[in-house]
């Protein structure tokens, strides 16, 4: 498992040498990474990777930490292949997070192999063509039934999401990602576990989905940023 030596080295290098290249973090994924919130709303400030940026700047106030938001709404691990070089590799980042699953899960058992192999190939590409430290993000929970947070314009998609939930596909994708992280010795941020803990405390997870379907609220993005910060700087 990585101890994020590349990131720590670059943060210190930039803090000590103003002429050094900026430390670069690419957040790669779907609508959650993009910062999608309520219907047709994108959050630029309180999205997890920008919150992490703020936290790192407090740790290293004389460094420059640049975040590239490479999240695309509706994207899947397999569907993102055409973006790998343009949206990840070309930036030669020092840190990369990969977050897919909420759209992939709709492909059911038939899509599980594509999901795993796509992320595995992306990991291999990153290792071959960059020096970046790497994080995998398990997906967040999604809608299980009708709820008040769903915008009327999103309701046509509800049956598909409920079917995916009833079939139990999302936990299967999450477990497959965990297994891949272990096999590839890549750090895995267990955000799905936070949702399990919510349910165990009696919280209706739909109250934490700001669009009522698959977008975590701003408070959750802060929790996820805290998880990332802990993983990156744990001693």
């Amino acid at each position: 498992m990585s101890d994020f030596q590349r990131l720590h080295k670059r943060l210190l290098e930039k803090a000590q040498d103003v002429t050094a290249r900026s430390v670069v973090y690419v957040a790669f994924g779907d609508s959650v990474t993009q910062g999608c919130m309520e219907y047709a709303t994108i959050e630029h400030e309180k999205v997890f990777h920008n919150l992490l940026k703020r936290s790192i700047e407090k740790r290293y106030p004389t460094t420059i930490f640049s975040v590239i938001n490479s999240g695309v709404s509706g994207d899947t691990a397999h569907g993102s292949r055409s973006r790998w070089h343009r949206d990840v590799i070309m930036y030669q980042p020092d840190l990369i997070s990969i977050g897919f699953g909420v759209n992939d899960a709709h492909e059911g058992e038939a899509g599980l192999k594509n999901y795993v192999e796509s992320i595995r190939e992306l990991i291999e590409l990153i290792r071959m063509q960059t020096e970046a430290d790497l994080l995998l993000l398990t997906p967040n929970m999604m809608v299980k039934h009708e709820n008040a947070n769903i915008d009327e314009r999103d309701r046509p998609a509800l049956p598909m999401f409920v079917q995916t939930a009833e079939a139990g596909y999302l936990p299967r994708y999450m477990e497959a990602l965990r297994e891949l992280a272990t096999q590839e010795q890549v750090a895995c941020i267990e955000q799905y576990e936070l949702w399990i803990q919510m349910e165990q405390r009696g919280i209706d997870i739909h109250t934490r989905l700001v669009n009522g379907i698959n977008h975590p609220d701003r408070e959750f993005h802060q929790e996820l940023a805290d998880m990332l910060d802990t993983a990156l700087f744990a001693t």
Side-chain angles (χ1 to χ4, degrees):
M1 195 72 69
S2 172
D3 56 3
F4 307 105
Q5 289 184 0
R6 168 72 179 184
L7 176 66
H8 296 168
K9 176 183 175 183
R10 292 278 5 268
L11 286 168
L12 187 59
E13 176 188 17
K14 183 60 178 174
Q16 295 176 340
D17 180 3
V18 69
T19 67
R21 181 176 184 264
S22 172
V23 184
V24 178
Y25 164 33
V26 170
F28 190 63
D30 50 36
S31 58
V32 177
T33 297
Q34 186 179 350
C36 295
M37 296 284 174
E38 299 88 351
Y39 181 84
T41 301
I42 296 178
E43 176 62 63
H44 299 284
E45 296 297 322
K46 295 182 179 179
V47 62
F48 71 88
H49 41 78
N50 190 59
L51 294 168
L52 177 63
K53 170 182 165 68
R54 292 180 180 176
S55 177
I56 289 177
E57 287 170 342
K58 290 179 180 178
R59 289 178 177 273
Y60 290 86
T62 61
T63 199
I64 300 296
F65 186 72
S66 301
V67 178
I68 307 297
N69 184 343
S70 288
V72 169
S73 179
D75 209 357
T76 63
H78 180 69
S80 73
R81 287 175 176 273
S82 63
R83 303 197 292 119
W84 289 359
H85 283 277
R86 185 196 71 184
D87 291 355
V88 181
I89 304 301
M90 72 165 287
Y91 292 107
Q92 288 298 296
D94 303 294
L95 177 68
I96 300 169
S97 62
I98 301 173
F100 290 102
V102 292
N103 300 309
D104 310 74
H106 296 308
E107 298 177 8
E109 289 295 327
L112 190 56
K113 182 177 179 180
N114 254 349
Y115 174 70
V116 172
E117 290 309 310
S118 295
I119 296 179
R120 189 192 307 277
E121 290 178 28
L122 178 54
I123 291 170
E124 292 174 357
L125 181 68
I126 288 168
R127 285 172 168 169
M128 286 189 299
Q129 298 195 17
T130 81
E131 297 181 52
D133 288 326
L134 183 59
L135 289 161
L136 300 182
L137 309 180
T138 59
N140 52 270
M141 280 191 184
M142 299 190 294
V143 60
K144 299 182 179 182
H145 54 72
E146 172 71 44
N147 65 86
N149 283 353
I150 303 174
D151 188 280
E152 288 301 319
R153 291 162 290 188
D154 273 336
R155 289 192 182 279
L158 183 58
M160 176 183 69
F161 279 90
V162 172
Q163 182 180 8
T164 297
E166 290 177 345
Y169 292 139
L170 187 61
R172 287 280 296 112
Y173 277 67
M174 182 272 298
E175 288 292 349
L177 186 67
R178 282 177 173 172
E179 292 173 10
L180 176 64
T182 299
Q183 292 166 7
E184 295 294 328
Q185 295 187 304
V186 176
C188 188
I189 304 302
E190 297 277 1
Q191 63 163 320
Y192 191 88
E193 185 63 29
L194 293 180
W195 296 85
I196 292 175
Q197 292 170 11
M198 284 185 213
E199 289 190 319
Q200 291 173 342
R201 297 197 304 271
I203 297 171
D204 179 357
I205 60 116
H206 299 87
T207 64
R208 302 298 307 275
L209 295 170
V210 74
N211 68 340
I213 295 179
N214 60 350
H215 297 160
D217 61 21
R218 291 162 179 81
E219 290 75 19
F220 186 84
H221 275 263
Q222 181 64 69
E223 292 179 53
L224 178 53
D226 292 343
M227 288 185 75
L228 286 164
D229 185 84
T230 298
L232 292 171
F233 298 100
T235 55

